[in-house]
């Protein structure tokens, strides 16, 4: 049996919306039969028209409503969860109902730094892994590193557009970057083209669009655009002090983890999609 045909995308934020759009494109081409989009009931009216116009089955529900989930998941092959941190725990209920409904594969909301054995602000993801295993539904974790098209935000200190950026350590640690559109294309290919038996035995998929340090990215940006960046380097001690003062300082947590090499996904699985041609980071930074 090759690939899957029926998909649910849970959540329509920055990641979910792009993944849903790509799978709807595949549906239009005939390689996917059904694409369902799950949204929280309160937000459903704002997204129904957009996705329904593209051929999606939009389902507004609460993620703890087992009866509604069971009804909506009937006949679904794969669930791709892109929920935000506030709904991470709800994925256990979704996975339990999906297992009972006959879903064949579950992709929880990962899409970032590796989380196996993760500590700190990502520990919650790691805590869920054993629960997914206990449910018995084949589960695949997708690690992408930070998003090449979405990481350059003021709240992380990477506001390239302003000309001022801050990074942890000396800026030389290599980091894996992958964009959301490239991640969507990769998932679309493997989930519809590879044998289902292989997919249900892939506990982790590691994507790497490009491996570069922040210093390399900044140098490439300056050479490409002719704009000079003001770079501030933050010591481990200062980042640790910030986290001690505020354990929820996500920017400090990320920069400390990246400086310590935790932004690398490991050996990439890019070969699962031989023709994958991810965009380099400069594609996105030079457009800012």
């Amino acid at each position: 049996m090759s690939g899957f045909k029926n998909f649910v995308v849970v959540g329509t934020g920055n990641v979910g919306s792009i993944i849903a759009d790509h799978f709807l494109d595949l549906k239009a081409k005939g390689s996917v039969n059904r694409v369902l989009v799950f949204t929280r009931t309160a937000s459903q009216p704002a997204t129904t028209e957009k996705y329904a116009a593209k051929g999606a089955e939009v389902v507004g529900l609460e993620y703890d409503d087992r009866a509604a989930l069971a009804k909506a998941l009937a006949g679904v092959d794969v669930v791709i969860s892109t929920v935000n941190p506030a709904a991470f725990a709800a994925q256990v209920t979704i996975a339990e109902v999906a297992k009972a409904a006959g879903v064949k594969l579950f992709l929880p909301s990962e899409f970032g730094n590796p989380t196996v054995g993760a500590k700190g602000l990502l520990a919650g993801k790691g805590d869920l892994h054993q629960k997914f295993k206990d449910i018995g539904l084949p589960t695949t974790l997708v690690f992408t590193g930070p998003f090449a098209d979405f990481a350059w935000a003021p709240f992380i200190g990477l506001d390239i557009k302003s000309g001022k950026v801050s990074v942890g350590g000396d800026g030389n640690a290599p980091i894996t970057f992958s964009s959301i559109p490239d991640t969507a294309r990769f998932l679309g290919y493997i989930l519809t083209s590879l044998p289902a038996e292989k997919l249900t035995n892939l506990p982790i998929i590691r994507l790497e669009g490009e491996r570069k340090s922040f210093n390399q990215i900044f140098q490439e940006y300056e050479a490409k655009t002719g704009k000079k960046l003001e770079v501030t380097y933050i010591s481990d001690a200062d980042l640790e002090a910030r986290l001690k003062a505020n354990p929820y300082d996500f920017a400090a947590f990320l920069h400390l983890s990246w400086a310590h090499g935790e932004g690398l996904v490991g050996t990439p699985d890019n070969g699962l999609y031989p023709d994958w041609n991810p965009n380099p980071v400069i594609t996105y930074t030079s457009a800012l």
Side-chain angles (χ1 to χ4, degrees):
M1 177 182 174
S2 282
F4 296 114
K5 294 293 185 181
N6 303 304
F7 298 87
V8 165
V9 178
V10 183
T12 56
N14 295 308
V15 179
S17 61
I18 292 175
I19 291 177
D21 282 340
H22 183 69
F23 276 81
L24 286 167
D25 289 342
L26 294 177
K27 181 178 183 295
K29 295 175 183 177
S31 53
V32 167
N33 291 341
R34 297 174 66 204
V35 178
L36 289 83
V37 176
F38 284 5
T39 69
R40 288 291 182 92
T41 302
S43 64
Q44 189 257 354
T47 58
T48 298
E49 186 174 343
K50 171 186 174 181
Y51 290 108
K54 295 182 178 182
E57 301 170 44
V58 183
V59 182
L61 45 68
E62 295 300 330
Y63 299 147
D64 59 354
D65 187 338
R66 290 177 176 267
L69 283 169
K71 181 179 179 180
L73 287 169
V76 167
D77 298 319
V78 180
V79 173
I80 303 172
S81 175
T82 67
V83 298
N84 62 35
F88 282 166
Q91 295 178 109
V92 175
T93 300
I94 295 171
E96 288 174 343
V97 177
K99 169 69 173 178
V103 170
K104 301 176 180 68
L105 182 64
F106 179 60
L107 277 61
S109 187
E110 294 283 338
F111 310 111
N113 286 2
T115 56
V116 175
K119 299 178 181 178
L121 292 179
L122 293 182
K125 286 188 175 184
D127 291 342
L128 292 174
H129 297 166
Q130 185 59 50
K131 294 183 180 180
F132 294 142
K133 290 180 181 178
D134 293 342
I135 291 167
L137 174 63
T139 299
T140 298
L141 311 178
V142 181
F143 301 147
T144 62
F147 286 127
D149 53 332
F150 199 68
W152 317 109
F155 83 95
I156 304 179
L158 295 172
D159 188 11
I160 284 182
K161 189 174 182 178
S162 74
K164 297 181 179 181
V165 290
S166 301
V167 298
D170 61 7
N172 288 322
I175 300 171
T176 291
F177 290 89
S178 307
S179 74
I180 304 174
D182 285 332
T183 299
R185 288 193 304 109
F186 192 97
L187 293 179
Y189 173 81
I190 66 166
L191 291 173
T192 61
S193 301
L194 298 186
E197 294 80 3
K198 181 172 185 177
L199 292 166
T200 54
N201 284 289
L202 283 174
I204 296 175
I205 294 176
R206 305 172 191 271
L207 303 186
E208 186 166 82
E210 186 173 38
R211 181 176 296 200
K212 280 227 165 90
S213 69
F214 280 122
N215 284 341
Q216 289 173 319
I217 291 169
F218 299 154
Q219 290 166 7
E220 192 170 1
Y221 172 84
E222 291 177 344
K224 176 82 172 180
T225 66
K227 300 175 183 178
K228 183 68 176 175
L229 292 172
E230 180 182 328
V231 184
T232 299
Y233 297 99
I234 311 172
S235 70
D236 282 9
D238 286 343
L239 290 170
E240 289 166 355
R242 282 171 53 178
L243 284 169
K244 184 176 181 180
N246 176 14
Y248 298 100
D249 186 335
F250 194 54
F253 171 79
L254 285 177
H255 280 292
L256 189 62
S257 66
W258 290 334
H260 290 182
E262 295 171 18
L264 288 174
V265 298
T267 303
D269 293 309
N270 295 9
L272 292 171
Y273 184 1
D275 294 329
W276 195 48
N277 56 339
N279 286 313
V281 176
I282 191 64
T283 302
Y284 306 100
T285 55
S286 63
L288 296 172

